[in-house]
Amino acid sequence: MAGQEAAAEEEPKKKTSVVKIILFVVGGLALVGLGAGAGFFYVKMTAPPVEENPLAIVIDKGASAAAAADAHGGGEKKGEEKKDAHGGGDAHGGGDKKDAGPAGKAVPSTEQFATTYFEFPGNFTTNLRGSKRFVQLSLGLSTQYDKQVIENAQKHEVAIRGEVLALLADQSEADMVGIANRRKLQEMFKDTINKVLTERAGFGGIESVFITALVMQ
């Protein structure tokens, strides 16, 4: 009988203890939630506005300056491309590049005279002095005088041929060998031709004579 009464008294005490524990846990959670909410509200209220953040302002200014520089540089580049396409450069022969020679060096601007060339038709063939061999060569002329000099050479070709063959026949085999001897022959031919033209036309005018072909057999 006494045991039943003691058990009946302990049961309400257990229920009261469970209720207290539940209330304690719920109260602790509520306090934690209130503390977190108060902290978030405090941070939100005290944080500076986004537009007043110095770092954001610096970044924004830097981006704006870069955009402006790109726009300005793009305009200059388009202007240069337009100039190259329509204004100058080698595409239309503008500027000083049209006078440039190899490696971009400017060609000297000097006064030059037109050179006229003439080559006698056929060959000059004759025996050599003191030899059974004969020589056959072709001759060309050049002058920077007017075309009248070449016309005189064509007009008096027969007389020129006679004097050139006489001079050539007086040469030996040794006189025909070597660059130096051939250049000497060219000078002798020039003097002979100018002599003929001076005697027959009143003026020589031949400035260079070229041996364009030579065969010795």
Side-chain angles (χ1 to χ4, degrees):
M1 193 73 178
Q4 292 178 354
E5 291 177 357
E9 289 177 358
E10 288 179 0
E11 186 173 352
K13 291 180 180 179
K14 290 181 179 180
K15 291 181 179 180
T16 301
S17 298
V18 172
V19 170
K20 287 180 178 180
I21 292 172
I22 292 173
L23 291 175
F24 180 76
V25 173
V26 171
L29 292 174
L31 288 174
V32 172
L34 289 174
F40 177 78
F41 180 76
Y42 175 78
V43 172
K44 186 68 176 178
M45 293 299 294
T46 57
V50 176
E51 59 273 15
E52 296 179 358
N53 191 332
L55 181 59
I57 293 174
V58 171
I59 293 174
D60 182 66
K61 286 184 177 180
S64 300
D70 291 341
H72 182 68
E76 289 182 351
K77 186 178 290 185
K78 289 181 180 179
E80 292 176 358
E81 291 176 355
K82 184 176 181 181
K83 182 178 179 181
D84 292 339
H86 301 285
D90 294 337
H92 295 281
D96 296 330
K97 291 183 178 180
K98 64 181 181 179
D99 295 328
K105 294 183 179 180
V107 176
S109 172
T110 57
E111 184 178 4
Q112 296 184 358
F113 298 96
T115 301
T116 303
Y117 295 92
F118 168 73
E119 185 173 15
F120 289 105
N123 300 315
F124 294 79
T125 305
T126 185
N127 293 326
L128 294 173
R129 174 173 54 85
S131 174
K132 295 181 179 180
R133 304 182 67 180
F134 68 90
V135 64
Q136 183 180 79
L137 57 80
S138 299
L139 289 182
L141 315 174
S142 74
T143 181
Q144 290 185 344
Y145 292 99
D146 58 32
K147 62 181 181 179
Q148 185 61 48
V149 173
I150 298 300
E151 291 177 357
N152 290 340
Q154 293 173 320
K155 180 179 179 180
H156 300 288
E157 180 182 347
V158 173
I160 290 173
R161 279 186 174 276
E163 293 297 325
V164 168
L165 286 173
L167 176 62
L168 189 57
D170 195 39
Q171 308 303 310
S172 65
E173 292 184 16
D175 295 333
M176 308 301 299
V177 178
I179 295 176
N181 285 334
R182 293 190 183 188
R183 288 177 177 172
K184 181 180 178 181
L185 272 176
Q186 290 178 161
E187 288 297 316
M188 293 170 64
F189 290 149
K190 182 185 74 172
D191 294 340
T192 298
I193 293 171
N194 279 327
K195 179 181 178 182
V196 173
L197 294 179
T198 300
E199 292 174 350
R200 298 178 179 272
F203 179 69
I206 300 300
E207 295 176 303
S208 296
V209 173
F210 308 97
I211 297 175
T212 58
L214 189 150
V215 177
M216 186 169 56
Q217 295 178 345

